[in-house]
């Protein structure tokens, strides 16, 4: 049995996000190379309709944000759903008491 049969493949998810007349939105892309992910990410951060973008590196059951940018002052979070789907959401405002 080949070792590569059991190795995990890294995938890169890129999510551009922003707010328009319909509310908060995510634009999803996925690729197998960091070069592809960086190109999509750069397109998002140069697009005036996007408030920000993130690159997420995914391996089997692990994931990490490796690049992020947000041009607006609001906070955001990255959620991972039960089927290993990711999305960016606006975070609640932090209130100091």
């Amino acid at each position: 049995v080949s070792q590569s049969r059991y190795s995990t493949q890294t995938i890169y998810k890129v999510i551009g996000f922003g707010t328009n007349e319909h509310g908060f939105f995510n634009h999803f892309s996925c690729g197998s190379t960091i070069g592809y992910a960086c190109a999509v990410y750069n397109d998002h951060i140069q697009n005036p309709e996007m408030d920000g973008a993130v690159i997420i590196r995914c391996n089997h059951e692990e994931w990490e944000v490796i690049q992020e940018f947000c041009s607006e002052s609001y906070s955001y979070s990255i959620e991972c759903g039960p089927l290993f789907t990711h999305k960016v959401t606006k975070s609640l405002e932090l209130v100091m008491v």
Side-chain angles (χ1 to χ4, degrees):
V1 176
S2 170
Q3 177 70 21
S4 63
R5 182 176 176 184
Y6 295 104
S7 64
T8 59
Q9 180 180 357
T10 300
I11 60 168
Y12 298 91
K13 296 180 180 181
V14 183
I15 306 172
F17 58 91
T19 304
N20 61 21
E21 65 274 9
H22 302 291
F24 191 77
F25 68 89
N26 283 218
H27 182 274
F28 303 98
S29 299
C30 188
S32 61
T33 67
I34 188 67
Y36 172 81
C38 288
V40 173
Y41 174 85
N42 287 332
D43 287 345
H44 285 322
I45 63 173
Q46 293 177 23
N47 182 341
E49 295 179 1
M50 298 289 180
D51 292 338
V54 296
I55 300 176
I56 304 168
R57 180 175 40 218
C58 302
N59 292 310
H60 190 56
E61 295 179 1
E62 299 177 347
W63 62 277
E64 71 175 310
V65 176
I66 60 171
Q67 188 75 31
E68 61 185 314
F69 170 78
C70 183
S71 62
E72 295 295 317
S73 59
Y74 62 79
S75 299
Y76 64 93
S77 61
I78 299 152
E79 298 178 4
C80 181
L83 298 175
F84 209 60
T85 56
H86 293 86
K87 68 178 180 178
V88 175
T89 59
K90 271 188 167 181
S91 295
L92 298 176
E93 290 186 72
L94 177 63
V95 177
M96 303 293 283
V97 178

